[in-house]
Amino acid sequence: MANAVTAEVETTSMTRVTVWNEYVHEQEHEAVADLYPNGIHGAIASALEERGFDTETATLQEPEHGLTEEVLAETDVLTWWGHAAHDQVADEVVARVKGRVLDGMGLIVLHSGHYSKIFRELMGTTCSLKWREAAETERLWVVEPGHPIADGIDEYIELPETEMYGERFDIPAPDTLVFNSWFEGGEVFRSGCCYRRGAGRIFYFRPGHETYPIYHNYAVQQVLANACEWAAAGDGPEPSFGNADPIEAIDESDERSVH
């Protein structure tokens, strides 16, 4: 048993996570800067680093938003936080990130990142929802306790102050729903949604409004760590496409093909 735990830690420590943040609210609002003095990206990266991940950060203001071909090529999992500047993300960077996801890079989309160009591109829907800012209680219920993203999490996570997101959430039905939220005002919301696109794994995780200390919450940090480990590209066989030679001996003399 001890050997199995050791192997898991060694595998996790090799996972390279790039934590992306538009980094706008922290520079424009004192309340957000006080809560996240090193930016939301800094708080997330620090929490993941403490759990054994190799982390780097990138922000909107950097050349190519910090997401160059070289950076993405070395990234196993990309986390994405955006809110006020979705339209400022260059389309060519979005296409580059999408290509890496389809090739096997994991993507963790956080909170208001549901409206990001990359999430909407990968989902193919508006990703619209209801919302309300009233510092109300949220309970994230674990509805798939056997999923790796829920590992080490209690039956629910209670957040005393959050922004409400409510259904209808205009997304495709998740491959797996890990968390479902209830809010003090009465709404419910699909808060932890797993998808596959191409060879890549995607996880949308709802908590994270910039004026509440969500990313300082230990359970939230654990979910992010679990999600990064789950989303990291595996070592499975590379898929092959196109015209294929037969594995077994067959008669290939049929000349009716027009291809």
Side-chain angles (χ1 to χ4, degrees):
M1 192 62 151
N3 291 337
V5 173
T6 300
E8 180 181 344
V9 171
E10 289 175 353
T11 300
T12 301
S13 67
M14 295 169 58
T15 301
R16 173 72 174 269
V17 181
T18 298
V19 181
W20 192 87
N21 176 20
E22 68 180 22
Y23 196 35
V24 171
H25 289 301
E26 301 94 322
Q27 300 185 77
E28 295 183 349
H29 302 283
E30 185 176 350
V32 182
D34 288 344
L35 200 55
Y36 296 107
N38 297 315
I40 288 173
H41 54 295
I44 294 173
S46 178
L48 292 175
E49 187 174 353
E50 289 176 2
R51 288 162 172 80
F53 292 89
D54 180 8
T55 64
E56 296 290 340
T57 63
T59 62
L60 178 71
Q61 297 80 14
E62 298 175 43
E64 300 181 65
H65 311 322
L67 299 176
T68 63
E69 290 184 2
E70 294 75 16
V71 167
L72 291 176
E74 296 178 354
T75 298
D76 297 309
V77 179
L78 174 66
T79 73
W80 191 281
W81 197 98
H83 189 181
H86 296 312
D87 60 336
Q88 296 179 34
V89 178
D91 291 341
E92 56 266 31
V93 173
V94 174
R96 186 182 302 158
V97 172
K98 179 182 178 181
R100 279 289 291 123
V101 172
L102 297 180
D103 285 343
M105 181 184 73
L107 178 66
I108 313 299
V109 178
L110 303 171
H111 190 58
S112 46
H114 70 91
Y115 264 148
S116 64
K117 288 182 178 181
I118 183 59
F119 190 60
R120 289 188 289 122
E121 175 72 19
L122 288 164
M123 294 298 103
T125 57
T126 68
C127 299
S128 296
L129 46 77
K130 296 177 182 176
W131 60 274
R132 177 176 62 246
E133 289 187 58
E136 59 196 284
T137 298
E138 174 185 6
R139 291 195 188 105
L140 292 107
W141 288 92
V142 178
V143 295
E144 196 59 59
H147 197 280
I149 292 178
D151 189 34
I153 303 301
D154 290 335
E155 191 175 22
Y156 62 86
I157 300 170
E158 182 160 321
L159 301 172
E161 293 183 323
T162 61
E163 178 186 22
M164 185 280 293
Y165 278 6
E167 298 286 350
R168 165 107 172 105
F169 189 13
D170 185 26
I171 53 172
D175 298 337
T176 306
L177 180 64
V178 182
F179 299 101
N180 204 43
S181 285
W182 166 88
F183 294 89
E184 189 176 353
E187 291 82 3
V188 296
F189 189 77
R190 289 167 289 169
S191 287
C193 304
C194 298
Y195 298 93
R196 285 180 181 264
R197 293 293 185 269
R201 294 180 174 185
I202 302 166
F203 181 59
Y204 172 76
F205 190 45
R206 195 216 71 82
H209 191 62
E210 64 277 357
T211 57
Y212 306 122
I214 304 299
Y215 296 120
H216 296 304
N217 181 283
Y218 184 87
V220 168
Q221 293 175 354
Q222 186 61 48
V223 169
L224 295 180
N226 291 346
C228 286
E229 187 169 353
W230 170 81
D235 295 323
E238 290 287 333
S240 59
F241 303 100
N243 190 44
D245 293 328
I247 298 173
E248 308 292 345
I250 61 172
D251 181 359
E252 296 184 76
S253 63
D254 189 342
E255 298 178 352
R256 288 173 292 180
S257 173
V258 297
H259 298 289

